[in-house]
Amino acid sequence: IEQRAKKEEVLRETRTTLASTYKNLRRLRAEERNHIWGYVARNLSRPVWLADARQKVDVIIGNPPWLAYRDMSPEMQKRLHAECAERSLWAGGKVATHQDESAYFFARCVELYLKKNGLIAMVLPLAAMTRQQYRGLRTGIFASKLTRKKEVRMYASVRFTEAWTFDESVYPLFNIPSCVLIASEGEAGPLPAKVTAYSGQLPRRDASAIEAEGHLSSWQSSWPEGNESRIAGYSDRFRQGATVVPRFLFLIERASAGRLGSNPDAPIVESRRSNLEKPPWKALEPLRGPIEKQFLRPLYLGESIAPFRLLEPVQAVIPWDQAKPGLLDSDSAQRGGYRHLAKWMKDAEALWNERGKKRMSLLERLDFYGNLTGQMPPDSVRIVYAASGTVPAAAMLGDSRAMVEHKLYWASASDKPEAAYLVAALNSNAIREHVASRQSRGQWGPRDFDKLLAGAIPEFDPSNPLHRELAAEGPRAEKVAAQVELPEGMHFIRARGLIRKSLREDGVADRIEKLVARLLAKQS
């Protein structure tokens, strides 16, 4: 009875919406402004008509929108979250911003339009086959969860029967790798063991099936390996760096102090500008003023790391009180007697409240997931590696005041031999090839390493000769990397290339590659 009443309420709302739409359409027609309104009206009415039990279809084929959660309006985010959570499609957590409309669109089409035992085939991001944000979709069961207040409600279920994959080797196609998932309405089951993988260069974008057939090759492959299973090794030891954004509010450079000079205990700084800045921060005047020097720290970014060598960090305002450990906002900085920091944070908070995302305070954004406070106090020996790239880059960080930004992963080392062992393994091409099948893939191929690299490396055992041998090569590689001349202002990618070239010419790179290959072979 309750469901019938709810359905009748929805129908009443739908009829009201349609009546209002057609009333407006009639008015626009009378005003000779009806150019597109017929198309709009059909788009509004056809989904309602198709959802009627008598109009459901045998086959649905589509390419749903891939609009990411992070790019939606707050109202749309709220609705997508609620709708996906109700159907067990919401993964949330660290992958919340990566979720998009496509999984919900797929499930909703089955729910509204597909006949019993009907077929559905949709073009989706390739990530739908492996990534955590699509885990609910891959179950094939779109249902609410059992709670004390409500029973499970089954919206729809499907059994995935076939899949086609189009990775970055198929072009021109989409900006990111894609797939086609095919399913039948009915009881859910295991995912297909095999998929049809495609490769080849198309003659043009939007090529017809006949045109494409002569340019694509296909073969049977295993369902792509995901990265959701627990990875061992050092995965639990490494942690992502802090999300120091908006960078405009925290990254700084020393400013001219004028004729009176600067107080060394509170140097004058201003916002560090970059051509990578985005609106609204790009158009703002820089923040400027003195800051107590204890709140100025080196910050290592993704581009601050090269193989076996640290490049230049940037300077950042990090409002961490060492006396009474904790982050300071403007009010707590004022109470603590840090008047310069209080002024800086007050100005930064005002800009954030005016132009930033209102769902969290500025300090909550700075310490997103505890990735800043989790670094405090910084250890004296840390290993850092770039979270993404074509080839890995890792180095040892010995500055106990330095902070690590979210484009890097970091871990503390028990001692120097363990640190040397880790840095050597993390810089190898062998480790990259080992995890390549589990990397997320974008327009330019696999890029993100995340914790995959750390998880592939077995724990250091000083009694293991292979581990000791690999650790011994680390200092040699660091020495070679340190001797490479890098002109001031050189782009970090160029710098990394020169260092790798020197490592190859020395022979240490080849020795490390062979040792890491043996290390990984023992893990297989």
Side-chain angles (χ1 to χ4, degrees):
I1 294 174
E2 183 181 348
Q3 289 183 355
R4 186 162 60 247
K6 186 176 181 179
K7 184 176 180 180
E8 290 174 354
E9 180 184 350
V10 171
L11 289 173
R12 282 196 299 272
E13 291 176 357
T14 301
R15 283 194 291 268
T16 300
T17 300
L18 288 173
S20 174
T21 300
Y22 279 105
K23 183 178 180 181
N24 286 331
L25 177 61
R26 184 177 179 184
R27 175 179 58 80
L28 292 164
R29 181 181 178 85
E31 295 173 1
E32 296 185 354
R33 296 171 55 206
N34 67 330
H35 305 289
I36 198 172
W37 303 111
Y39 175 79
V40 172
R42 287 193 297 273
N43 274 358
L44 283 168
S45 59
R46 280 175 174 167
V48 177
W49 175 74
L50 284 169
D52 186 279
R54 295 167 295 180
Q55 304 298 337
K56 291 194 174 187
V57 298
D58 296 300
V59 178
I60 296 175
I61 299 173
N63 180 5
W66 298 2
L67 179 64
Y69 178 86
R70 61 182 174 271
D71 297 324
M72 297 177 185
S73 66
E75 295 78 12
M76 192 173 185
Q77 288 179 342
K78 184 177 180 180
R79 182 171 179 184
L80 181 72
H81 182 187
E83 292 283 313
C84 287
E86 175 64 13
R87 291 161 177 80
S88 299
L89 292 168
W90 186 256
K94 291 188 177 182
V95 299
T97 59
H98 299 293
Q99 299 203 205
D100 61 35
E101 284 185 297
S102 61
Y104 172 69
F105 196 96
F106 186 104
R108 191 74 166 135
C109 283
V110 176
E111 176 186 340
L112 291 176
Y113 309 126
L114 194 60
K115 278 184 180 178
K116 185 176 179 60
N117 299 321
L119 292 176
I120 180 169
M122 287 202 172
V123 181
L124 301 168
L126 187 62
M129 300 180 72
T130 58
R131 306 302 280 181
Q132 185 180 347
Q133 61 265 34
Y134 296 95
R135 182 177 53 203
L137 172 69
R138 292 193 298 274
T139 67
I141 302 172
F142 315 130
S144 62
K145 291 182 172 63
L146 177 66
T147 68
R148 291 184 177 182
K149 295 184 179 180
K150 57 184 276 191
E151 296 181 354
V152 172
R153 180 179 175 187
M154 175 63 72
Y155 287 93
S157 66
V158 295
R159 181 186 181 94
F160 289 100
T161 58
E162 192 174 349
W164 309 338
T165 63
F166 304 87
D167 65 13
E168 68 278 355
S169 68
V170 180
Y171 63 98
L173 194 59
F174 299 106
N175 288 335
I176 63 174
S178 61
C179 67
V180 173
L181 295 186
I182 303 169
S184 61
E185 192 280 339
E187 185 177 350
L191 294 170
K194 297 292 184 179
V195 304
T196 303
Y198 286 88
S199 180
Q201 182 176 351
L202 295 169
R204 62 184 179 88
R205 191 177 294 277
D206 299 326
S208 67
I210 295 175
E211 289 176 305
E213 187 175 5
H215 293 80
L216 294 180
S217 58
S218 65
W219 64 95
Q220 289 297 295
S221 177
S222 299
W223 187 279
E225 184 180 359
N227 64 348
E228 293 178 15
S229 58
R230 189 184 186 281
I231 43 183
Y234 281 86
S235 60
D236 292 338
R237 294 264 299 273
F238 275 85
R239 183 166 182 173
Q240 193 170 20
T243 311
V244 185
V245 293
R247 289 186 173 186
F248 170 81
L249 301 179
F250 296 106
L251 270 57
I252 56 91
E253 53 192 7
R254 297 294 178 99
S256 172
R259 298 190 333 193
L260 297 179
S262 178
N263 178 0
D265 292 326
I268 297 174
V269 300
E270 64 182 14
S271 300
R272 182 176 185 266
R273 308 317 299 251
S274 165
N275 56 9
L276 299 178
E277 285 180 335
K278 298 178 180 179
W281 318 107
K282 184 177 182 179
L284 299 180
E285 290 296 316
L287 296 178
R288 177 186 168 90
I291 293 284
E292 293 85 353
K293 68 177 182 180
Q294 73 185 77
F295 300 111
L296 301 178
R297 290 176 178 262
L299 178 68
Y300 282 85
L301 311 177
E303 56 262 38
S304 305
I305 306 299
F308 299 99
R309 178 171 169 173
L310 298 171
L311 304 179
E312 286 299 314
V314 297
Q315 294 296 306
V317 175
I318 304 294
W320 175 263
D321 187 0
Q322 298 180 66
K324 296 179 180 179
L327 286 172
L328 301 173
D329 59 13
S330 57
D331 290 337
S332 55
Q334 189 68 49
R335 291 194 300 270
Y338 307 117
R339 62 186 182 91
H340 297 310
L341 176 66
K343 173 64 167 60
W344 184 280
M345 291 301 294
K346 184 177 181 180
D347 293 342
E349 287 162 0
L351 289 173
W352 174 256
N353 293 334
E354 178 185 353
R355 299 169 183 268
K357 297 182 178 180
K358 311 296 191 298
R359 295 189 298 276
M360 59 183 75
S361 69
L362 182 59
L363 280 194
E364 288 172 336
R365 188 70 185 95
L366 179 62
D367 194 33
F368 196 54
Y369 284 109
N371 286 341
L372 190 146
T373 54
Q375 297 185 47
M376 296 298 185
D379 290 318
S380 57
V381 180
R382 285 172 284 173
I383 302 93
V384 290
Y385 73 85
S388 63
T390 306
V391 184
M396 199 181 304
L397 176 58
D399 185 348
S400 60
R401 280 190 51 78
M403 305 299 297
V404 177
E405 192 242 12
H406 77 288
K407 291 296 186 181
L408 296 172
Y409 279 83
W410 68 275
S412 299
S414 303
D415 51 32
K416 287 290 184 68
E418 182 186 38
Y421 163 83
L422 275 170
V423 172
L426 287 167
N427 275 305
S428 69
N429 193 54
I431 200 81
R432 181 197 65 79
E433 292 178 347
H434 185 72
V435 303
S437 65
R438 287 180 283 161
Q439 286 181 266
S440 61
R441 308 174 83 85
Q443 184 176 3
W444 310 113
R447 289 283 302 171
D448 296 328
F449 298 123
D450 297 323
K451 287 192 178 184
L452 294 173
L453 295 179
I457 303 172
E459 291 276 353
F460 178 66
D461 180 0
S463 66
N464 187 315
L466 178 58
H467 290 201
R468 291 198 307 270
E469 194 174 352
L470 185 57
E473 293 294 345
R476 171 64 186 172
E478 286 184 341
K479 184 177 179 180
V480 173
Q483 293 173 345
V484 178
E485 292 188 15
L486 302 177
E488 185 177 352
M490 175 179 283
H491 194 274
F492 74 97
I493 293 179
R494 172 66 174 157
R496 287 177 179 177
L498 289 177
I499 292 171
R500 289 191 182 103
K501 180 182 178 183
S502 292
L503 292 168
R504 289 193 300 270
E505 291 174 348
D506 177 83
V508 66
D510 184 59
R511 293 194 297 274
I512 287 174
E513 290 296 340
K514 290 177 180 178
L515 290 170
V516 175
R518 286 170 54 196
L519 183 74
L520 298 174
K522 290 180 178 294
Q523 294 296 107
S524 302

